[in-house]
Amino acid sequence: LSGQATCEPGLGVVEVLNRLPAPHALHDTAAAAAIKGDFSETSFTVHPSANGGRGVVQRMWRWQSIQDFNYAESWFAGRLAGKPVWQGLEWIVPGHEHNSMAILDEQDMGGIRPGNADAVAQFEYLFDRADSDFTGGKAAGFEDPGNRGEPKQPNVTGDHGKSVDGVEWLARHFPYTSYAVPAHAERQGAYLPTENRGYNVNHFRDYFNAGVINPGAHYMQQESLAFGFESEPGHQFANGGRGTYSAGRPTAGLWTYGGAGAYTAAEVTEPGKNFDGSALTDADITAINADITATAQFSSTINPTRPKARIVQSRVGVRTMWDALLAEGRKFFYFASSDWHNRGAFSPFEPQSTLDAWPGEYQKIYAYGEQTDGNLDHVAQAVLEGMRAGNTWSVQGDLIDQFYFVACTTEHPRCAVMGETLTIYEDEGGDIEFRIELRDPAGENFSPYEFNNASLAQIGMQVPTNQPVLDHIDVITGDITGRIAPTDPAYSTNVSNPTTRIFATFDSSNWTAGADGVKTMSWRVPLSAVHNSFYVRVRGTNMPQGTPNETDASGNPLGDHLADNVPCTATGAGTTTGFDPLACPAHLPTDANGVKYLDADVEAWTDLWFRANPIFVNYETE
């Protein structure tokens, strides 16, 4: 936009916006000669008087904006904040949904002068399905073999192979300094070769295999630059479904469970199937929709015209698709994201939201890494290595703010933390001791709502929404049975681990509570009782077992669409103007009697979880 708005003390947002130039002032911000690529494919029409009366402004290719503009802005922001800020890409994946990727090489976050993000730009040019430029990248040398280049492949609908090639390219050129992590993995349903939408289990296996950086290692020690997925999506404050997940799309699993997608928080079917393995029929879809309508008054239903092969059903339980991957000993990990766009119906400066939270406002990932010298490049690399190693945990609403999980042998002491493998031996003797230490902080989180948690009010608990309390944690375990070969039919059909189970639950009755909200719990497993490899992962929540519309009797999260049934009745102090933190907000859905029910940010702040990545135990007979 040409021109500038005058910013003076005391000006409101609306006043500033009113001083912006009129829309017809839109013009090329870079001279035509500076736009790299094919002009005919990158221009778009605007107001007839724009750009000297030409009525056309040239659109810049995404790869050029990364290379010439975005990186410099990211670098400068990091310098101002004194924090590592690097240029990544929401990769529009051939055949699939989005993917969070980046290449740290040459970005030079700690230097006085910026480096470059040429490698990220080159990746976008070569492998992004939305990039149809076949000329500008050549001018930039992106197809030059001497510059890691290769011929650009055409964009073909459903081209999963091109996305695998992209991961392999990263593994060849940037194995330790790049990552590729599928985002909001369930949102668009199952993959179909005739569409560019979702992911199936074999695609996660393909990416992990293509990104392995130490192929000679034992299969339970292998690491990959494709080291997990964002199964806990951003957009947690969205009206009509956390994460913008819904049966109407249809999302794989149809909705979230405790804010997480069904691939990690519930049990799922194969695409287009029922749980008994039979093919999904029109009658099945009718029955599913009838159940949704009967149990969730505001939720969308499956559009019966959607391809059945795109529909993945879900049910409450712990034998998840993630567990199917962990059962192969894959170091494939769980992550949450913010995916910040905007606050929906509200401005960025208002406390309410019908779409997004600010980064870190609601979801956080904690990653443990090696101590560094403070150089921002080294800090960024340490964060990446901590993520790839899986020594991380994700939390909603600051339910906890510290978490440590370790397993040690007692006879010949050695230990492993999250993401690591502890090798034990058949005749070793002694025990494996598992220990968890976490902190449930006192006081308020970032929730703007001070009225009592509506879901807990159903069971007579009076807890302010902005002061959550950890109710319990579950220790979940499953056997590791080895890798499934790509030639095995199970590679594409195995979506659960039948041995996954809740091993133990800890709450105020059996954890040790210390000062400042610290809680400690431990247990021992005799090595004489171990006869196979296994993994152990942990989750926790503020919802007790059996909370209506939130958890089942075992503490598993129920589908978040059921929050439609939880009334929000706080009326506050009777304020009629402005925001009242003691009153249920106006943006909640209302039934015919005027009763409000949970949705959007209120639902998300009500139902909180943390989830930690597993420790692997490798059992050796000799």
Side-chain angles (χ1 to χ4, degrees):
L1 295 175
S2 65
Q4 294 181 343
T6 302
C7 294
E8 301 170 1
L11 277 182
V13 173
V14 173
E15 292 174 287
V16 171
L17 291 176
N18 286 339
R19 297 193 183 194
L20 287 173
H24 69 267
L26 187 67
H27 70 288
D28 281 327
T29 55
I35 305 295
K36 306 168 186 175
D38 184 348
F39 181 91
S40 65
E41 293 191 21
T42 61
S43 60
F44 63 100
T45 302
V46 292
H47 192 281
S49 63
N51 202 20
R54 287 195 297 129
V56 170
V57 174
Q58 186 168 357
R59 178 178 295 154
M60 183 178 292
W61 291 110
R62 184 72 182 95
W63 65 262
Q64 186 185 354
S65 68
I66 293 169
Q67 185 181 52
D68 293 350
F69 296 94
N70 296 154
Y71 168 68
E73 294 172 355
S74 298
W75 175 86
F76 185 64
R79 291 284 297 177
L80 285 178
K83 296 181 182 295
V85 176
W86 59 84
Q87 178 65 48
L89 172 71
E90 186 174 49
W91 178 21
I92 303 177
V93 183
H96 301 287
E97 257 277 28
H98 298 156
N99 181 299
S100 297
M101 68 79 55
I103 303 168
L104 299 186
D105 285 65
E106 301 173 347
Q107 293 207 29
D108 195 13
M109 283 153 271
I112 296 176
R113 293 181 177 83
N116 65 76
D118 292 356
V120 178
Q122 183 178 22
F123 179 89
E124 194 280 343
Y125 170 78
L126 290 173
F127 299 109
D128 194 291
R129 68 172 160 86
D131 193 314
S132 55
D133 175 26
F134 283 80
T135 62
K138 292 179 181 178
F142 289 164
E143 295 189 42
D144 181 357
N147 184 37
R148 307 177 296 259
E150 58 186 54
K152 181 170 179 174
Q153 304 170 37
N155 293 319
V156 178
T157 299
D159 191 0
H160 170 65
K162 183 175 179 180
S163 67
V164 175
D165 290 345
V167 177
E168 290 177 340
W169 186 87
L170 291 173
R172 283 196 304 276
H173 302 295
F174 306 101
Y176 295 99
T177 56
S178 70
Y179 58 87
V181 176
H184 38 73
E186 300 91 346
R187 187 174 68 172
Q188 294 285 11
Y191 166 83
L192 290 177
T194 57
E195 299 179 345
N196 293 312
R197 287 185 181 270
Y199 296 97
N200 298 347
V201 68
N202 52 300
H203 304 127
F204 303 129
R205 291 179 168 124
D206 285 347
Y207 292 159
F208 183 93
N209 294 346
V212 168
I213 60 180
N214 56 339
H218 183 280
Y219 77 97
M220 288 179 63
Q221 299 285 2
Q222 286 182 345
E223 291 188 348
S224 174
L225 64 88
F227 48 71
F229 50 10
E230 296 171 2
S231 183
E232 185 178 312
H235 308 311
Q236 285 280 322
F237 294 169
N239 261 339
R242 294 169 74 168
T244 68
Y245 283 26
S246 74
R249 279 190 124 122
T251 290
L254 307 185
W255 34 72
T256 54
Y257 288 78
Y263 287 169
T264 59
E267 300 176 358
V268 296
T269 63
E270 293 177 52
K273 299 287 187 67
N274 292 305
F275 276 98
D276 63 5
S278 62
L280 191 64
T281 66
D282 289 341
D284 293 327
I285 294 175
T286 298
I288 294 168
N289 284 342
D291 181 69
I292 295 172
T293 302
T295 59
Q297 57 185 327
F298 302 112
S299 288
S300 58
T301 56
I302 300 172
N303 185 331
T305 65
R306 302 294 192 207
K308 294 182 181 63
R310 204 202 304 159
I311 298 171
V312 175
Q313 298 183 69
S314 63
R315 66 186 180 192
V316 176
V318 296
R319 296 174 296 180
T320 73
M321 180 189 289
W322 184 32
D323 289 277
L325 298 168
L326 298 179
E328 296 182 81
R330 295 182 188 270
K331 292 179 180 286
F332 194 81
F333 302 119
Y334 176 100
F335 299 104
S337 66
S338 293
D339 207 349
W340 162 261
H341 287 222
N342 57 68
R343 287 184 97 75
F346 300 93
S347 86
F349 309 107
E350 292 182 276
Q352 305 167 89
S353 176
T354 58
L355 185 62
D356 293 341
W358 284 95
E361 177 187 11
Y362 180 73
Q363 287 153 298
K364 290 184 175 72
I365 301 172
Y366 288 83
Y368 297 101
E370 296 292 334
Q371 186 71 36
T372 73
D373 56 10
N375 180 292
L376 295 186
D377 289 345
H378 301 164
V379 174
Q381 184 65 33
V383 171
L384 170 54
E385 290 173 0
M387 300 280 283
R388 186 176 65 235
N391 196 8
T392 77
W393 51 281
S394 302
V395 65
Q396 301 166 347
D398 295 309
L399 177 62
I400 62 173
D401 63 2
Q402 294 179 17
F403 181 83
Y404 306 96
F405 182 28
V406 64
C408 299
T409 55
T410 59
E411 190 73 14
H412 303 284
R414 57 194 181 278
C415 298
V417 295
M418 291 178 290
E420 292 185 334
T421 299
L422 179 67
T423 296
I424 61 172
Y425 299 94
E426 181 180 25
D427 300 323
E428 182 174 356
D431 302 327
I432 307 173
E433 181 176 9
F434 294 88
R435 182 178 178 87
I436 295 171
E437 185 176 296
L438 57 81
R439 188 173 74 168
D440 178 3
E444 300 177 358
N445 60 13
F446 289 115
S447 171
Y449 304 114
E450 299 176 9
F451 50 81
N452 284 330
N453 185 306
S455 289
L456 295 178
Q458 298 175 109
I459 54 176
M461 295 179 63
Q462 305 301 309
V463 181
T465 301
N466 66 339
Q467 299 181 47
V469 176
L470 179 68
D471 181 80
H472 70 277
I473 75 165
D474 294 316
V475 177
I476 298 170
T477 186
D479 294 345
I480 295 174
T481 53
R483 293 287 171 84
I484 300 173
T487 55
D488 188 328
Y491 188 86
S492 299
T493 61
N494 179 276
V495 294
S496 69
N497 178 1
T499 69
T500 306
R501 62 200 182 279
I502 298 175
F503 173 80
T505 296
F506 291 92
D507 56 24
S508 58
S509 69
N510 58 353
W511 61 38
T512 300
D516 195 25
V518 174
K519 296 170 174 45
T520 305
M521 52 222 81
S522 63
W523 66 99
R524 289 194 174 199
V525 177
L527 281 169
S528 60
V530 178
H531 304 290
N532 54 269
S533 300
F534 64 97
Y535 60 89
V536 181
R537 61 181 179 89
V538 179
R539 70 183 183 192
T541 181
N542 66 327
M543 290 289 132
Q545 297 97 328
T547 301
N549 304 298
E550 297 288 8
T551 56
D552 71 2
S554 298
N556 296 308
L558 302 178
D560 288 327
H561 65 304
L562 297 177
D564 287 6
N565 302 314
V566 181
C568 189
T569 57
T571 57
T575 301
T576 57
T577 60
F579 170 69
D580 183 356
L582 295 174
C584 298
H587 61 266
L588 295 181
T590 306
D591 69 9
N593 297 315
V595 178
K596 296 174 183 175
Y597 290 85
L598 296 193
D599 195 6
D601 53 354
V602 181
E603 177 187 344
W605 286 117
T606 297
D607 177 32
L608 303 179
W609 292 78
F610 80 85
R611 295 172 174 96
N613 281 311
I615 293 174
F616 300 87
V617 178
N618 177 36
Y619 175 75
E620 297 283 355
T621 58
E622 58 181 41

